[in-house]
Amino acid sequence: MLKKIDHIGIAVKDIEETAKFYRDLLGMKFLGVEEVADQKVKVAFFEIGETHIELVCPTSPESAVAKHLEKKGEGIHHICYATDDIEAELARLKEQGARLVDEKPRLGAHGAKIAFIHPKSSKGVLTELSQKS
Ligand code: CMX
């Protein structure tokens, strides 16, 4: 079962520059920056109520986010939902015909298990599932 929106991911070219808007103008609590080597990105988290804004910046031109920035520019990149059982959710979604990017979870920020569902399955919205470690 999906529990809540864990975060909304926003693709950016410069984390420090964009952080000024979320931290200083909107006044969100800044939770820090982390590199997610597996995804070839650097991410910054901001807390807003029970959810988060995640700034995502590529660390390599090979990153999926670098390709997205090239094609679409900066802006909303994905929506991530929290679950307590990511394997069961992936199995359920696959059985119901969703196109999975990741058949098995990968390692995301804060050691969470993550997996993506292809935007072609969801009217153009890249969807992520996340299970906290
Ligand atoms: N939102 C909406 N559509 C997207 C998208 C996104 N974020 N990223 C790609 N697409 C679309 C493309 O526009 C393209 O559409 P068209 O065929 O209509 O032009 C289609 O998906 C295929 O895109 P592509 O550029 O050819 O790229 P790939 O097929 O190689 O990869 C995807 C697409 C979704 C599989 C890849 O971007 C991916 O694996 N993403 C998940 C990983 C990721 O984004 N990690 C970073 C986040 C890190 C984190 O939060 O921890």
Side-chain angles (χ1 to χ4, degrees):
M1 198 178 74
L2 302 183
K3 296 195 301 183
K4 63 169 188 173
I5 292 180
D6 184 79
H7 65 262
I8 295 172
I10 299 176
V12 301
K13 292 178 183 163
D14 185 332
I15 284 208
E16 298 309 322
E17 182 60 30
T18 317
K20 290 180 195 160
F21 176 76
Y22 290 93
R23 183 187 54 216
D24 304 338
L25 270 78
L26 296 186
M28 290 185 195
K29 186 174 169 191
F30 173 57
L31 299 181
V33 177
E34 187 180 333
E35 186 165 343
V36 185
D38 190 49
Q39 297 286 322
K40 299 187 176 70
V41 294
K42 204 162 70 163
V43 298
F45 276 94
F46 301 82
E47 191 175 83
I48 175 73
E50 289 192 356
T51 191
H52 304 89
I53 293 293
E54 179 194 46
L55 303 183
V56 192
C57 180
T59 52
S60 154
E62 301 305 312
S63 162
V65 180
K67 290 181 195 164
H68 182 81
L69 280 170
E70 227 172 75
K71 208 166 163 184
K72 298 266 171 72
E74 294 176 299
I76 292 182
H77 179 260
H78 64 269
I79 298 179
C80 177
Y81 301 95
T83 175
D84 284 333
D85 191 344
I86 194 166
E87 277 93 355
E89 281 305 308
L90 287 173
R92 187 179 65 77
L93 287 163
K94 188 178 178 183
E95 193 185 309
Q96 293 185 8
R99 181 170 155 192
L100 305 182
V101 174
D102 303 301
E103 297 265 337
K104 289 186 179 153
R106 301 201 243 170
L107 203 58
H110 309 128
K113 285 183 186 177
I114 62 163
F116 286 90
I117 301 157
H118 202 280
K120 293 291 179 198
S121 274
S122 52
K123 304 288 180 197
V125 179
L126 178 61
T127 302
E128 180 183 4
L129 304 184
S130 170
Q131 181 181 350
K132 296 245 174 300
S133 56

